[in-house]
Amino acid sequence: LLAPPAPGPLAGQHVVITAGPTHEPIDPVRYIANRSSGKQGFALAAAAAEAGAQVTLIAGPVQLPTPPGVRRVDVETAREMAEAVDAALPCDVAIMVAAVADWRVAEAAGQKRKKDGSGHIPPLELVENPDILASLGHAMLRPPLLIGFAAETEHVIEHAKAKLARKGADWIIANDVSGDVMGGANNTVHIVSAMGVESLSEMPKADVARAIIAKVADVLHQPYDA
Ligand code: CTP
Ligand code: CA
């Protein structure tokens, strides 16, 4: 027997969220990473679950508790994250918050890389990771509402607009990470869509999450009109 859907504005909706950084191995003891804390993505998962959604949270390596009622899938690399997103489909809403590493080491070493004593510095050959959001934007099972994030340190809105088109997303939520946003408690975001730009004031990440989920509930309840 299936439990009846939880009440709430997102009852019956499956929401897939990616969060956190990815780690890309160099060798068994080293990796490439970034400063993403996972807080904004986890806050969105919590807010979506509170709104009654069935939530799949695909999390890179972070030390954060799983929000109540959320199904969590832990991954390490961008490629694992891409596979976990595929496996979670279909969904009604996808929110790609993860700071996916853009590049991975072409061939991670099987053993720890050693200095050879000559002072020679070994090069790291990088290759590009799959773009999870862009793949979803052009996928057969494209979610009806597809949302990306864009962390920018300058020209925030312009870059977000370019990403909206390039990735086939419905919204790009741009945040200015030139301050201490990555890892910090607050966030200032701009929701960029074909309808224009909606800027929210600076607030705690949990409040940003609730505002975004309220907007998601709003558009899901509007009949689609071509
Ligand atoms: N993203 C993704 N897979 C990647 C890179 C990014 O799914 N390999 C998603 C992020 O989760 C985010 C959005 O794409 O929702 C924008 O990420 P961002 O890093 O800002 O965009 P990039 O296209 O990687 O551009 P750049 O880092 O050069 O600004
Ligand atoms: Ca990137």
Side-chain angles (χ1 to χ4, degrees):
L1 268 173
L2 287 174
L10 290 188
Q13 308 284 337
H14 181 206
V15 179
V16 171
I17 297 173
T18 64
T22 63
H23 285 181
E24 308 297 330
I26 296 170
D27 67 19
V29 301
R30 305 183 178 99
Y31 55 80
I32 298 174
N34 63 64
R35 295 188 189 281
S36 169
S37 67
K39 285 177 190 167
Q40 187 63 77
F42 274 59
L44 271 158
E50 275 167 25
Q54 180 205 330
V55 181
T56 304
L57 172 61
I58 298 160
V62 292
Q63 304 291 322
L64 290 174
T66 308
V70 166
R71 185 175 81 93
R72 174 175 181 172
V73 180
D74 283 313
V75 298
E76 186 175 332
T77 66
R79 286 188 294 178
E80 288 168 10
M81 188 171 274
E83 275 174 31
V85 168
D86 266 355
L89 299 180
C91 66
D92 303 288
V93 184
I95 314 179
M96 305 287 96
V97 196
V100 182
D102 290 324
W103 305 286
R104 68 175 182 274
V105 175
E107 268 186 82
Q111 305 297 330
K112 184 184 166 192
R113 293 175 67 156
K114 304 290 289 176
K115 288 173 289 186
D116 69 2
S118 72
H120 168 74
I121 299 171
L124 274 186
E125 193 200 328
L126 302 180
V127 295
E128 198 165 317
N129 269 327
D131 189 317
I132 301 167
L133 175 60
S135 316
L136 261 191
H138 303 103
M140 290 276 289
L141 289 175
R142 184 193 189 280
L145 182 58
L146 178 60
I147 303 172
F149 267 68
E152 306 289 356
T153 57
E154 58 176 2
H155 310 305
V156 178
I157 305 286
E158 294 96 301
H159 282 151
K161 283 184 177 161
K163 281 176 188 170
L164 188 70
R166 192 166 81 234
K167 303 206 180 220
D170 297 302
W171 307 349
I172 291 285
I173 300 179
N175 59 340
D176 189 331
V177 293
S178 54
D180 69 346
V181 162
M182 281 190 134
N186 286 4
N187 206 354
T188 311
V189 304
H190 312 272
I191 304 176
V192 179
S193 72
M195 310 293 292
V197 180
E198 185 184 336
S199 297
L200 308 185
S201 49
E202 181 181 342
M203 57 182 112
K205 288 180 177 177
D207 293 346
V208 170
R210 284 190 208 103
I212 292 168
I213 291 301
K215 196 174 157 77
V216 165
D218 242 34
V219 305
L220 289 184
H221 292 129
Q222 278 163 18
Y224 276 101
D225 209 10

